[in-house]
Amino acid sequence: MQAALLSILGLALIGSLCAQEDVPVQPDFQPEKFTGKWYSIGLASNAKWFQDKKALMKMCTTVIESTPEGNLDVTSTYPKSDRCEKRNSLYIKTDQPGRFSYTSQRWGSQHDIRVVETNYDEYALVYTKKVKDTNTFTMVLLYGRTKELSPERLEKFTQFSKGQGLPEDAILILPKSDQCMEVAV
C-alpha cells in the first residue's frame, strides 16, 4: 500500500514538473504591441510570500517598454500601506520570442517568464517559474488593459493556474483600487 502511494505521488510530481516545461508561449509574439500600461487583474502563486501577503494585495499597474536590444523594461507600481511603491525589472529576451529571463539581484532568484497568451489590446496571461537556491515557485499573472476583464478571461486565468498545479487558495483576483493608478506611460 505504501509503495503504491509513493508511486502515485512520484508520478504526480513528474507530471507536474513536465507540465511546467510544456508551458506554451504566444505564437508570433510581437513585443512592440505588448508595451504600454497594464493592470494586474489576477495573481496566482505557490510562493510563501504570496500566501503571507495575499489578503493585503490590491490591483496595481505595470508599464512595459521595449529596449533597443529587444528586452522589456518592466515597472510595476503598487499600493503598500498608505504609499505607492515602484519595482523595476529588466526582462532579457531569449531565443524564443515571448520568453524572457530575469535575475533578481535583491533576492538572488532566477526567473523564466513566458507570455502564454495575449491579444495585446485586452489581456495577457503571463507565466513565471522562479528558482531560488533549491526551491522552485510558480506564478501566473493576468494583465488587462483596463481594470475589468470578462468572466471568460478570469476563468481562463483560473483554469490555466490550476493546470500549473496551483490550488484554488493560491489563485487571487486582485481587488480594484484607485491608489497608485496614475502612472505615466
Side-chain angles (χ1 to χ4, degrees):
M1 177 70 164
Q2 211 172 19
L5 182 59
L6 286 174
S7 294
I8 291 169
L9 289 173
L11 287 172
L13 177 61
I14 289 169
S16 69
L17 290 174
C18 289
Q20 291 175 359
E21 294 308 313
D22 292 336
V23 173
V25 175
Q26 170 76 28
D28 192 30
F29 179 73
Q30 298 172 37
E32 68 283 354
K33 288 184 170 184
F34 193 64
T35 60
K37 181 177 176 179
W38 293 93
Y39 294 95
S40 296
I41 306 287
L43 178 61
S45 180
N46 60 358
K48 183 176 180 346
W49 70 262
F50 177 74
Q51 292 301 320
D52 293 345
K53 297 185 186 272
K54 73 178 186 178
L56 304 172
M57 297 179 83
K58 296 178 184 170
M59 184 180 288
C60 72
T61 56
T62 297
V63 176
I64 299 173
E65 297 175 323
S66 188
T67 69
E69 301 79 22
N71 302 319
L72 296 180
D73 188 10
V74 180
T75 303
S76 295
T77 306
Y78 57 94
K80 187 172 184 181
S81 300
D82 60 345
R83 67 184 196 286
C84 298
E85 186 143 328
K86 281 191 179 203
R87 181 135 319 138
N88 289 77
S89 307
L90 182 63
Y91 293 1
I92 307 297
K93 72 176 183 173
T94 66
D95 291 339
Q96 183 179 19
R99 188 172 182 179
F100 301 86
S101 66
Y102 167 69
T103 301
S104 171
Q105 301 301 321
R106 181 177 180 187
W107 302 109
S109 52
Q110 302 290 325
H111 303 243
D112 174 13
I113 303 151
R114 303 175 194 204
V115 179
V116 174
E117 186 176 305
T118 184
N119 62 3
Y120 303 103
D121 59 1
E122 179 195 6
Y123 78 100
L125 189 60
V126 178
Y127 164 92
T128 301
K129 180 171 75 171
K130 174 181 165 183
V131 178
K132 182 178 179 187
D133 301 322
T134 59
N135 300 308
T136 300
F137 305 98
T138 298
M139 184 170 70
V140 179
L141 266 162
L142 176 64
Y143 288 120
R145 291 291 189 183
T146 63
K147 293 181 185 181
E148 304 251 353
L149 287 176
S150 70
E152 293 80 19
R153 297 288 187 225
L154 300 178
E155 182 61 22
K156 179 174 227 137
F157 159 73
T158 299
Q159 291 308 314
F160 178 80
S161 298
K162 287 180 178 179
Q164 303 314 305
L166 297 172
E168 190 78 40
D169 70 343
I171 302 169
L172 177 65
I173 301 300
L174 294 161
K176 291 181 190 75
S177 171
D178 288 329
Q179 188 180 356
C180 307
M181 292 292 138
E182 298 304 316
V183 293
V185 179

